[in-house]
Amino acid sequence: MSKKRICFIAQFPPPMHGLSKAVETLYNSELSQEFDFEKVDITNNKDFLKNLNLIRKSKADLFYFTISQTKGGNLRDLVIFKLLHMQHKKCLIHLHGGYYRQLVDNDLSGWQSKANYKAISQIDGAIVLGESLKPIFHGMLPDDKIYVVPNCVDDQYLMSDEEFEEKVRTIDERKVKHVLYLSNFIRSKGYPEVLEMAKLEKERVETGGERKLHFDFAGKFFEQSEEEFFNSYVKDNCLEDYVTYHGVVGGDEKRKLLKESDIFVLLTRYPNEGQPISILEAMGNGMMIVTTDHAGIPDIVEDGVNGIVVRSERQIRDVYSASYELALDTHKIGHVERRNRCNIENQYKESRYVAGMRECFRII
């Protein structure tokens, strides 16, 4: 019996971000032995016509399509949807974000919005990252065609049980707790607020307080203006002893950073946010989470249970104070670290993600 052929129409690294990393993990997983995978990399829009030709010629049984959440990207997607429909191809879309319905209902012109409703109604299924994101496709697809497959922590970035136990056991020995921001440097992802937290820590120390927090940043600057802002803020506020920028990290360097950090902060309001893999990585590596009630994050972080969830009206000084108090309460940190670790082990490991995708690929 021949293998089911699946064509990925998706963004592959580089650049590396949540979507491209998830796609790469899936494409290189054990499913590549069970199914016959091929790919059309839609990262570069200059290849649009070439990609359309590849899709047209493909003999795949199913097209797995990661759709865009921007106006321009949506125009490209509508053309691809039309081509697949004309050729009577089966299509399973995967939404790695939480903005698509907002885009369709509020941002697009009338004809483009209607075209999306029609295109989605003709596909065979849609995958979202969490239960809270299923309403994105309500009224476009029946519920039994909307599947939930959460993101995962790649095995290579999940510390061993021995390393985790050592981290919890030695928490009292770490007098200065490390706060980590690990994401791309986009304003709406909240990195300026984490810089402000570092400034507040410095001000507290200068008034006689004991040093408790150090702030580590890692990720890519897509705009030179963002890098200039970051460096200027650190220099102008004399934060060199409180802030470390590690660049774009991966491999052993990233594992080391995850292992040595205690509190993860992502105060995101990024419109295209879905379910940040960085939060899952932090949870799996024994960290307390400080984040926002945005997109699919409430599915994985509950305020007061496994982290601090910041509402829009909460001031950054309050967020800093809560993080500082947390750094003092090592018993609570240890308790939450164990809860987060257990949650990842049970629900967000790479094997669980692959199994969820296998089921979707088999159903359609």
Side-chain angles (χ1 to χ4, degrees), residues 265-280:
V265 183
L266 186 69
L267 300 173
T268 179
R269 293 293 175 191
Y270 180 55
N272 293 346
E273 200 73 82
Q275 185 186 77
I277 291 175
S278 58
I279 291 181
L280 298 176

Side-chain angles (χ1 to χ4, degrees), residues 83-112:
L83 176 59
L84 293 175
H85 182 66
M86 287 173 60
Q87 294 188 310
H88 308 289
K89 301 291 188 179
K90 287 191 172 183
C91 179
L92 171 67
I93 64 171
H94 199 160
L95 179 62
H96 281 265
Y99 191 72
Y100 175 74
R101 189 56 172 265
Q102 177 81 7
L103 173 77
V104 171
D105 287 351
N106 299 319
D107 298 353
L108 300 182
S109 61
W111 75 265
Q112 193 171 345

Side-chain angles (χ1 to χ4, degrees), residues 10-269:
Q11 294 183 42
F12 288 79
M16 184 68 76
H17 43 72
L19 167 57
S20 63
K21 181 57 183 169
V23 168
E24 182 181 58
T25 296
L26 182 61
Y27 191 81
N28 294 329
S29 73
E30 63 191 50
L31 296 189
S32 63
Q33 306 302 314
E34 182 176 338
F35 303 98
D36 188 3
F37 283 168
E38 62 184 67
K39 67 179 179 180
V40 176
D41 187 350
I42 57 174
T43 302
N44 190 344
N45 287 323
K46 292 180 180 179
D47 296 329
F48 179 60
L49 293 178
K50 181 185 77 173
N51 289 336
L52 282 182
N53 196 41
L54 290 173
I55 295 168
R56 183 182 63 82
K57 291 182 176 180
S58 174
K59 303 299 183 183
D61 302 299
L62 173 65
F63 288 81
Y64 167 73
F65 184 13
T66 59
I67 63 173
S68 174
Q69 297 184 104
T70 67
K71 291 181 181 180
N74 182 254
L75 283 173
R76 174 204 65 197
D77 291 354
L78 287 174
V79 175
I80 294 173
F81 279 133
K82 186 67 174 178
L83 176 59
L84 293 175
H85 182 66
M86 287 173 60
Q87 294 188 310
H88 308 289
K89 301 291 188 179
K90 287 191 172 183
C91 179
L92 171 67
I93 64 171
H94 199 160
L95 179 62
H96 281 265
Y99 191 72
Y100 175 74
R101 189 56 172 265
Q102 177 81 7
L103 173 77
V104 171
D105 287 351
N106 299 319
D107 298 353
L108 300 182
S109 61
W111 75 265
Q112 193 171 345
S113 176
K114 289 178 182 178
N116 274 270
Y117 272 84
K118 182 177 181 180
I120 297 299
S121 71
Q122 294 169 338
I123 65 171
D124 299 275
I127 301 171
V128 294
L129 300 174
E131 288 291 336
S132 67
L133 299 176
K134 289 179 73 173
I136 288 173
F137 291 108
H138 286 173
M140 305 175 96
L141 275 176
D143 277 2
D144 62 358
K145 287 189 176 183
I146 307 172
Y147 308 101
V148 176
V149 180
N151 273 329
C152 71
V153 179
D154 282 7
D155 291 342
Q156 65 170 320
Y157 293 124
L158 191 63
M159 67 197 310
S160 68
D161 291 340
E162 293 76 17
E163 288 174 316
F164 174 74
E165 290 300 330
E166 175 72 6
K167 183 173 186 176
V168 175
R169 185 182 64 79
T170 59
I171 191 167
D172 283 327
E173 299 173 13
R174 300 192 297 277
K175 300 304 179 184
V176 176
K177 303 297 188 292
H178 281 255
V179 178
L180 176 63
Y181 173 93
L182 175 59
S183 189
N184 292 323
F185 282 76
I186 300 170
R187 295 285 177 109
S188 59
K189 281 185 174 282
Y191 82 85
E193 286 80 1
V194 186
L195 282 174
E196 190 176 343
M197 290 172 67
K199 181 183 176 183
L200 290 169
E201 171 72 357
K202 176 174 177 286
E203 290 174 356
R204 188 186 55 76
V205 172
E206 288 178 342
T207 58
E210 186 180 357
R211 176 80 180 274
K212 287 295 181 183
L213 300 174
H214 185 84
F215 294 79
D216 296 284
F217 291 79
K220 183 175 181 178
F221 290 99
F222 287 98
E223 303 289 340
Q224 186 177 347
S225 59
E226 300 291 353
E227 186 170 7
E228 290 172 352
F229 171 82
F230 180 89
N231 291 330
S232 295
Y233 193 100
V234 172
K235 183 178 179 181
D236 294 347
N237 292 284
C238 302
L239 295 176
E240 289 85 356
D241 292 337
Y242 293 82
V243 168
T244 302
Y245 174 59
H246 297 267
V248 179
V249 296
D252 290 339
E253 190 177 6
K254 181 176 176 179
R255 283 192 290 271
K256 183 173 185 289
L257 196 56
L258 291 167
K259 180 180 177 180
E260 294 178 351
S261 300
D262 302 286
I263 301 171
F264 182 83
V265 183
L266 186 69
L267 300 173
T268 179
R269 293 293 175 191

Side-chain angles (χ1 to χ4, degrees), residues 337-359:
E337 284 178 349
R338 288 190 182 281
R339 176 173 288 170
N340 281 344
R341 170 77 172 185
C342 183
N343 197 12
I344 295 301
E345 290 276 4
N346 291 335
Q347 299 186 59
Y348 300 101
K349 288 191 73 173
E350 187 176 323
S351 58
R352 187 76 177 254
Y353 169 68
V354 170
M357 293 304 303
R358 174 189 284 113
E359 185 176 350

